[in-house]
Amino acid sequence: MILRTDLVRACDTLLNAPAFKDYTVNGLQVAGRDEVRRVMSGVTACQALLDEAVAWGADLLLVHHGYFWKNEPVPITGIKQRRIRTLLLNDINLLAYHLPLDAHAELGNNAELARRLGFRVEGCADGELGQGLVWLGSLPEAASPSLLARQLGERLEREPLLIEAPGGGEIRRVAWCTGGAQDMIVQAWEAGAEAFISGEISERTTHLARELGIHYLAAGHHATERYGVQALGAWLAREFGVEHRFVDIDNPA
């Protein structure tokens, strides 16, 4: 058992949450009971995940995508009201980390994606390692765009959308940023990457990839961001002896 205040402080410190300018509130978003024994983690605090937390008797729900996003409607009505009501009625804490969990050098989404895919991490295109969001590295062995896409599909259990640059060619140097980071493709190209991996794709991304001459792989927002929150939950279990369970609510996006 750990007090909620101590657990939140530990996570805020570990992830250096106050240092990030984000689109949402990082840290405790909804307060529940003071003592935490059971932590459930998941990618997004949707109603299905909340229902799992209630059924399991979770004291705290740890997610990557929480609530209170920039420019979202302020009134707590409709879906937003039902979700928050579920937390309050069941005295469950909601703890969410967005960019801090993407960037963390050991437990973050980018770090976990590199580990899962076997990339050799060499640095970041937009800051020092652990503070940047676009990571740079190399493949264990040179691969064609189609082979890299197949490896992504096998290891993330989701087939990526591949936009091949004209001329093809083997890939050795890669850049990646999990989630909805398709517009960072220019930074990846400027850093010398031959391929850029993220979660989503926009209409403009195809044209940028072709005209820049960089391969682009949209591997899924959800699929690329399942691993950081699991790593953080496992860290909490090791450090504080809480029980941790990850629940994957399927999302093809």
Side-chain angles (χ1 to χ4, degrees), residues 17-88:
F20 287 82
K21 294 181 180 180
D22 211 336
Y23 318 104
T24 185
V25 179
N26 286 302
L28 185 66
Q29 292 192 342
V30 178
R33 57 182 65 96
D34 293 333
E35 296 181 350
V36 176
R37 292 178 173 82
R38 282 188 161 188
V39 174
M40 177 173 287
S41 65
V43 177
T44 300
C46 60
Q47 189 64 49
L49 184 62
L50 298 177
D51 293 342
E52 290 281 352
V54 172
W56 189 54
D59 303 304
L60 184 141
L61 186 59
L62 172 66
V63 297
H64 182 49
H65 301 136
Y67 307 146
F68 311 115
W69 297 92
K70 182 179 179 181
N71 297 327
E72 78 171 24
V74 173
I76 301 176
T77 59
I79 289 174
K80 189 175 183 180
Q81 185 265 352
R82 289 195 292 275
R83 290 175 172 180
I84 293 177
R85 186 170 183 265
T86 299
L87 291 165
L88 294 176

Side-chain angles (χ1 to χ4, degrees), residues 225-238:
E225 296 195 327
R226 285 183 298 194
Y227 305 107
V229 73
Q230 294 183 60
L232 182 56
W235 179 83
L236 288 172
R238 291 193 304 271

Side-chain angles (χ1 to χ4, degrees), residues 209-231:
R210 289 171 177 168
E211 292 174 37
L212 290 171
I214 182 173
H215 306 293
Y216 182 68
L217 298 99
H221 195 135
H222 179 85
T224 58
E225 296 195 327
R226 285 183 298 194
Y227 305 107
V229 73
Q230 294 183 60

